[in-house]
Amino acid sequence: MKEHKKGLALWLAAVLALLAGALLAGSPGRTETVKEAMRDAVLHDVNRISLFGLKEVNPGLISAFTVTLMLLLAAACIRVFVIPRFQYRPGKFQMLLEEVVGLFSGMAKGSSPHRWGFLGAYIFAAGAYIFVGTLFELLGLQAVTVHGHPITLPAPLSDVNAAIAMGTFSYLTILSGGIAVNGVKGVGKTLKEFSLPISMSFRLFGALLSGLLVTELVYYYVSLSFVLPVIVGVLFTLLHALIQTYVLTMLTALYYGEVSEPSPPKEKKKRRAA
């Protein structure tokens, strides 16, 4: 009990010291208005990055390439070095990996028991990309803009183009399930939900953007720039990573299962005896 109180007292003392230092340091001078900061956080039309000297692109595209490369390297390392060493008694990492794969496989099988193999692979890949891509901004990786200013790379899906691409891919996956099982009828079932890619894209973009904007506002107005924004940013990022991963994969699995359900056979009319 005494050790617990001592640790709590040390923690409070450290927090108070940080607060005092932040108040004494004051707010740094701003070179742009809050309107300009928020606009660039949404449109990325000011702080652009040169892509190998060929074209000026949004920072979100560089983030997307980086996250994709990270996931591919991780998948290759797990396949080559980890999976061949799986044991009957799993270790911690093997157990974690099996739980994650089983979670998405169970979600796919429960939503589409007739055809779930490809669905399970897709929602696992999409979920991993959304989760890792959302947490990517916590790394604080920086790049240099075309104007020579450093900029922290944002989460890939905070760019509306990336969110629309993810929603479109999910919709095409749903469409492929309908066509594979029901043919032309599957196309009709899927096209009924014509607003689905729009709703999925902007739900994902809006959720991630809200956390980014809240963090930007805290950084802009609060002088405690190395205390409060860190807490707010980490909490929003973790919350959005978990929620948006679950929401998009669940919606994709549910709609895929709906359109890939086999149509009931038509009963043949019995011919009346002449």
Side-chain angles (χ1 to χ4, degrees):
M1 190 66 180
K2 291 182 179 180
E3 294 181 356
H4 178 71
K5 290 182 178 179
K6 185 178 179 180
L8 181 60
L10 291 175
W11 174 254
L12 291 176
V15 171
L16 290 175
L18 289 174
L19 291 175
L23 292 174
L24 291 174
S27 301
R30 299 292 179 180
T31 59
E32 59 181 358
T33 64
V34 64
K35 183 178 180 180
E36 293 172 344
M38 305 305 286
R39 175 184 173 84
D40 187 57
V42 176
L43 301 178
H44 304 289
D45 57 350
V46 177
N47 295 319
R48 300 177 70 83
I49 299 175
S50 176
L51 182 63
F52 303 113
L54 301 175
K55 186 179 181 181
E56 296 180 6
V57 298
N58 295 338
L61 182 62
I62 305 298
S63 300
F65 286 158
T66 306
V67 171
T68 303
L69 181 60
M70 290 170 57
L71 289 173
L72 290 176
L73 288 176
C77 291
I78 291 173
R79 181 64 184 88
V80 174
F81 299 108
V82 178
I83 293 180
R85 298 182 180 180
F86 274 8
Q87 299 177 358
Y88 183 75
R89 285 187 174 182
K92 294 181 179 180
F93 184 74
Q94 179 181 345
M95 187 179 297
L96 175 63
L97 189 62
E98 290 177 353
E99 287 292 333
V100 174
V101 173
L103 173 66
F104 288 104
S105 297
M107 185 184 299
K109 193 172 184 179
S111 300
S112 178
H114 304 285
R115 189 181 183 89
W116 60 275
F118 175 73
L119 175 62
Y122 174 77
I123 61 175
F124 176 79
Y129 184 84
I130 295 172
F131 186 78
V132 175
T134 305
L135 297 181
F136 173 76
E137 61 181 347
L138 294 180
L139 298 178
L141 299 181
Q142 292 190 337
V144 179
T145 65
V146 294
H147 302 292
H149 304 298
I151 181 177
T152 302
L153 293 178
L157 294 171
S158 64
D159 187 348
V160 66
N161 300 299
I164 291 174
M166 179 62 71
T168 303
F169 274 126
S170 299
Y171 188 73
L172 292 176
T173 300
I174 296 170
L175 178 63
S176 68
I179 295 176
V181 177
N182 296 312
V184 180
K185 293 181 180 179
V187 177
K189 286 184 177 181
T190 309
L191 292 181
K192 287 192 302 181
E193 306 291 343
F194 64 93
S195 63
L196 183 59
I198 300 175
S199 63
M200 294 175 72
S201 301
F202 283 93
R203 180 186 293 108
L204 183 62
F205 172 67
L208 294 177
L209 184 63
S210 63
L212 175 63
L213 296 184
V214 169
T215 307
E216 286 283 343
L217 286 173
V218 173
Y219 269 109
Y220 194 90
Y221 284 113
V222 181
S223 61
L224 312 179
S225 58
F226 52 91
V227 180
L228 185 59
V230 174
I231 300 174
V232 174
V234 170
L235 289 179
F236 268 84
T237 302
L238 289 174
L239 185 64
H240 289 152
L242 292 172
I243 292 178
Q244 295 309 312
T245 299
Y246 175 75
V247 169
L248 187 132
T249 53
M250 181 191 66
L251 288 177
T252 303
L254 288 176
Y255 282 105
Y256 186 97
E258 180 180 343
V259 302
S260 64
E261 185 177 356
S263 301
K266 295 182 179 179
E267 296 181 359
K268 296 181 179 180
K269 296 182 179 179
K270 295 181 180 181
R271 295 182 179 179
R272 295 182 179 179

